[in-house]
Amino acid sequence: MKSGKYSMLLKGIKEPGPRNNHGKNPIVEASEPKAEPLEEIIAMVLPERQMPERQTSKTDAWKKVAISFPPVEDEEASDTPVIIGAIVGNHPVKRIHLDTGSGCEIMYEHCFLKLKTTLRKRRKDNISPLVGFSNERTWSLGEITLNVTIGEAPRIRSEALTFVIVRAESPYNIILGRPAMRKLGMVPSPIHAIVKFPTPRGIGFVKTEPHPEVQCSQVLSPKAGECSKKKENLETETEKIFINNKYPDQHIMIGKQLPTDYKRKLKEVLERNKDVFAWEPADMTGVPRELKISGEVFDTQHHLNARPHMEPIKQKRRSLAPDRNKAAKEQVEDLVKAGILREVKYQSWVANLVMVRKHDGGWRVCVDFTDINKACPKDCYPLPEIDWKVESLVGFRLKCFLDAYKGYHQIQMYPDDEDKTAFYTSEGIFCYKKMPFGLKNVRATYQRLVDKAFGGQIGRNLEAYVDDMVIKSRNEEDMFLDIKETF
């Protein structure tokens, strides 16, 4: 600093000027009582970009105050979760759970649907699933960023938080995890039933809402003498019922906790519809080749649509060990009797059997359809998201699980494509008349049929994933109506 006004100020030199009648310098006299500190004078001289640290520390000093809690007696300590209220996107929201074990902020769908339309339009897609502590995965409905304000004026704190929207039953509207606590500076104390946080006006706090609806942490022990009785009533084990006297070794499992009167009614409904069930392979007549659904004819057959320019492939026969060959022979005979297989001659495509060990020690017959699958185009009919199907059952107290007998064998093969499913056995060469496992696009064909046949029920009182179906009901009376409609 060689010359100029700033160098004179730093050296304390008085700038000469006109004098008044009293012989005093008016400039010096006016500036002396307003002498600025040295650091402020330096701020005038140095560029602003060289002073950010000191300015930031002054504005954020209130964020670094210490937060403490007084000691509390054992009888006054609380063991309830910290549940507060806040302003979320200009909406007052209650039942917000502070969860230190959550790595993100959760907004449940029932809360999201109550937001204004303008706010709901801010939702963005989110392809990342949520992973629970036991590694279960839940697919979200998207995410949304909203301003969250906690506390009471003048000690309030506001930050923009990103919520993951989840479809699930919960007593809470929102769950705030560790990221929200860090941004808002919240320090929860469950034993004090309060959360504190710094604000520019001092330490703010929010008390836990009284009477939280559901707390999974509260588990009461039964009184002496009532333990055995309550344990018997609360067991969720199943019991066997028999609805067909011709097959006394076959049964249906029902919930043991179902009231006796409803058990009797359920058994009557099942007995009247016992023809729906397949009691032996001969009962599995399969689905007709054409169905009339909603006035339109629907082709249910499975077509391979093999590319015509592909040369047929006959795999070199592989022999099986004696125990595997015996198991294959028995199962092939049963499938021939059931009308699922037939013997062929002068075939073009031939595959080998593959025996797979089952969990009970038995054998499962599979066919190596690798070659024919390569010759078939992909059917891109979409399969349902299994996670969404499971989540859609939440809120329904009663569920009836059904599984199609021999699964994909319910659907007929297109006659011209039957020979292309041929495979070797020690008794000859056989092909499928019904749709087998292992073929390309079989799940898409089955799901298309299920969606057509049960289109009026899926999502309302029925959920289906390929050959697995669940009838869902909210109460016992609805259960009987839903079962009758499905059958």
Side-chain angles (χ1 to χ4, degrees), residues 211-235:
H211 312 298
E213 292 188 3
V214 177
Q215 298 173 13
C216 60
S217 60
Q218 293 183 351
V219 180
L220 301 178
S221 301
K223 297 180 180 179
E226 298 180 358
C227 182
S228 58
K229 183 178 179 180
K230 288 189 175 182
K231 183 178 180 180
E232 182 179 357
N233 294 336
L234 295 176
E235 280 182 348

Side-chain angles (χ1 to χ4, degrees), residues 164-180:
V164 179
I165 306 168
V166 175
R167 175 183 293 167
E169 289 289 330
S170 175
Y172 309 119
N173 290 318
I174 289 174
I175 292 180
L176 295 183
R178 297 187 300 271

Side-chain angles (χ1 to χ4, degrees), residues 48-64:
E48 293 183 359
R49 64 176 179 272
Q50 298 184 17
M51 299 295 295
E53 294 184 359
R54 184 175 297 274
Q55 293 175 357
T56 302
S57 61
K58 282 189 175 183
T59 56
D60 295 346
W62 57 271
K63 295 182 179 180
K64 300 180 181 180

Side-chain angles (χ1 to χ4, degrees), residues 367-432:
V367 181
D368 182 10
F369 287 127
T370 304
D371 296 323
I372 187 63
N373 285 342
K374 290 180 180 178
C376 299
K378 174 69 175 177
D379 184 353
C380 296
Y381 187 84
L383 296 178
E385 289 285 350
I386 188 65
D387 295 331
W388 285 85
K389 289 295 182 182
V390 174
E391 291 181 4
S392 65
L393 301 177
V394 176
F396 292 86
R397 191 165 58 87
L398 300 171
K399 304 171 186 69
C400 179
F401 297 89
L402 305 174
D403 189 9
Y405 184 67
K406 292 194 178 295
Y408 302 161
H409 295 330
Q410 303 283 348
I411 296 180
Q412 311 275 353
M413 283 293 300
Y414 183 63
D416 293 346
D417 292 332
E418 290 180 4
D419 289 353
K420 298 173 184 176
T421 64
F423 57 90
Y424 296 106
T425 71
S426 59
E427 303 298 318
I429 299 178
F430 295 83
C431 73
Y432 280 94

Side-chain angles (χ1 to χ4, degrees), residues 133-145:
F133 66 90
S134 59
N135 206 29
E136 70 274 12
R137 294 176 179 267
T138 301
W139 292 96
S140 68
L141 303 178
E143 62 182 25
I144 185 172
T145 301

Side-chain angles (χ1 to χ4, degrees), residues 207-268:
K207 293 184 178 180
T208 297
E209 292 183 0
H211 312 298
E213 292 188 3
V214 177
Q215 298 173 13
C216 60
S217 60
Q218 293 183 351
V219 180
L220 301 178
S221 301
K223 297 180 180 179
E226 298 180 358
C227 182
S228 58
K229 183 178 179 180
K230 288 189 175 182
K231 183 178 180 180
E232 182 179 357
N233 294 336
L234 295 176
E235 280 182 348
T236 58
E237 298 178 358
T238 57
E239 64 179 64
K240 302 176 181 178
I241 63 171
F242 301 87
I243 62 173
N244 195 336
N245 296 329
K246 294 182 180 180
Y247 303 93
D249 58 330
Q250 299 193 36
H251 58 270
I252 293 176
M253 308 295 291
I254 65 172
K256 207 169 187 179
Q257 77 279 9
L258 201 64
T260 305
D261 188 35
Y262 288 109
K263 288 181 182 179
R264 178 181 55 80
K265 293 182 179 179
L266 178 59
K267 185 176 181 180
E268 292 176 355

